[in-house]
Amino acid sequence: MSKAITTLSLQKYKRDGRKIVALTAYDYSMAKILDKAGVDVILVGDSLAMVVMGERTTHSVTMEEMLHHTRAVTRGTQNALVVADLPFMSYQVDVTQAIMNAGRFIKEARAHAVKLEGATRLNLEIIERLTGMGIPVMGHLGYTPQAIHGLGGARVQGRSAQDAIKLINDARAVQDAGCFAVVLEMVPTPIAKAVSERLEIPTIGIGAGNVCDGQILVVDDLLGKFTDFLPRFVRRYANLADICEEAVRHYGEDVKTQAFPNESESFILPRAQEEEFEKMLADLDKQ
Ligand code: KIV
């Protein structure tokens, strides 16, 4: 019997030592597949900007675009918890802006929770206010892609002892502010372990070793559909780009040789109607 996953289910999974399975999705049909396969958390990530829209960073994706894709994902989901990523500059201005945009994800796109990056003073206030009004928030620490330029690139975070301690303190701060879970991205395994052991809320790792309470990947990376680059922490479970290319080539050949469509893929007329049509056509051509 399948059962809807809630933020409380995830916290119970951590207590029970049952790892959390999370993936991104950006559309209805993929969300349906993930949900059917038993994925616990579907994140409509702002990675959409890169893997769906072909941008080099996540910065350009807008609230309207995120809402559009989140709506599609929630329509395809029955059991998974759907988390919508607050895009760059949709929450960094002030608390009011963050509340308005987080509220839109819940109200207009039927998301169950939102995610934001970093543990600035403003973010902690946003987390407190959102959770206070019943909007669950997932944190995101370590490498935070919206800060790529400030961080000097997509780099592993928390390598020095000082940075590692800051990461632990930031993780505690987002937990205390009310986050129900936190993504740890590109963090050395021992640091991710130290954070996971010190938090009551689950950590969801991406490039943070197998010590976190769950794992998340970008679905297009896992399926080999996005092939521009392959981060070290990705494992490809399929090669969809090759499979799709092969299928499309085959279709092209069939179109050119008229092997597609065949009779069963076309609409034919009953014999009597066809004869009548041919007669009418002959009359028409005589005029
Ligand atoms: O946008 C995204 O896909 C993410 C995941 C990588 C965690 O934030």
Side-chain angles (χ1 to χ4, degrees):
M1 248 292 272
S2 48
K3 192 169 155 290
I5 309 291
T6 67
T7 55
L8 296 182
S9 327
L10 302 180
Q11 294 177 1
K12 181 170 184 315
Y13 290 164
K14 170 159 181 149
R15 289 196 300 276
D16 294 349
R18 190 296 215 164
K19 299 286 181 187
I20 295 163
V21 181
L23 274 176
T24 67
Y26 315 99
D27 63 42
Y28 170 79
S29 50
M30 188 57 78
K32 259 183 98 170
I33 294 169
L34 268 47
D35 197 60
K36 196 164 162 225
V39 168
D40 301 310
V41 178
I42 299 182
L43 170 70
V44 188
D46 61 359
S47 49
L48 167 89
M50 299 169 80
V51 299
V52 177
M53 297 166 80
E55 298 285 344
R56 298 181 86 86
T57 69
T58 59
H59 293 132
S60 61
V61 69
T62 64
M63 261 311 290
E64 298 309 321
E65 288 160 345
M66 289 297 297
L67 282 165
H68 176 84
H69 286 265
T70 304
R71 259 192 301 266
V73 167
T74 54
R75 277 191 211 115
T77 306
Q78 281 184 3
N79 297 311
L81 184 91
V82 178
V83 182
D85 224 354
L86 281 159
F88 182 60
M89 280 302 137
S90 70
Y91 61 98
Q92 284 90 344
V93 176
D94 58 28
V95 177
T96 306
Q97 184 208 26
I99 292 173
M100 297 296 291
N101 285 323
R104 292 191 72 192
F105 275 130
I106 309 295
K107 201 174 162 82
E108 296 174 36
R110 320 263 186 272
H112 305 122
V114 298
K115 175 167 86 59
L116 53 74
E117 296 184 5
T120 62
R121 224 174 313 148
L122 174 61
N123 283 8
L124 297 178
E125 197 185 334
I126 292 168
I127 296 164
E128 266 181 40
R129 292 287 299 278
L130 289 177
T131 52
M133 59 185 68
I135 301 181
V137 184
M138 178 181 266
H140 186 155
L141 300 174
Y143 170 59
T144 46
Q146 292 177 9
I148 185 170
H149 300 316
L151 295 172
R155 306 156 70 97
V156 177
Q157 301 296 309
R159 275 192 196 276
S160 71
Q162 217 176 11
D163 288 349
I165 297 301
K166 180 172 182 326
L167 189 63
I168 293 172
N169 287 332
D170 283 352
R172 281 194 169 128
V174 298
Q175 169 178 270
D176 294 347
C179 277
F180 68 91
V182 60
V183 169
L184 296 180
E185 181 161 355
M186 290 179 76
V187 171
T189 304
I191 314 303
K193 184 165 184 284
V195 174
S196 302
E197 285 171 353
R198 281 163 182 75
L199 291 192
E200 277 168 33
I201 60 170
T203 57
I204 316 277
I206 173 161
N210 64 359
V211 291
C212 293
D213 303 303
Q215 296 292 328
I216 186 161
L217 282 176
V218 168
V219 73
D220 294 51
D221 288 339
L222 170 132
L223 295 176
K225 180 166 171 266
F226 178 80
T227 55
D228 288 4
F229 55 87
L230 183 70
R232 170 195 165 118
F233 53 79
V234 171
R235 185 181 297 176
R236 264 198 194 143
Y237 285 83
N239 225 323
L240 277 201
D242 289 350
I243 292 169
C244 294
E245 187 182 328
E246 179 54 28
V248 172
R249 278 188 198 287
H250 196 169
Y251 165 72
E253 279 161 25
D254 285 354
V255 168
K256 288 175 192 156
T257 59
Q258 287 180 278
F260 175 84
N262 63 23
E263 225 175 68
S264 71
E265 291 153 340
S266 311
F267 303 99
I268 53 166
L269 288 172
R271 190 70 210 132
Q273 243 172 289
E274 196 176 339
E275 280 170 11
E276 190 189 348
F277 175 62
E278 276 166 14
K279 201 165 147 289
M280 284 170 66
L281 209 55
D283 291 346
L284 186 76
D285 290 345
K286 269 190 233 147
Q287 285 169 16

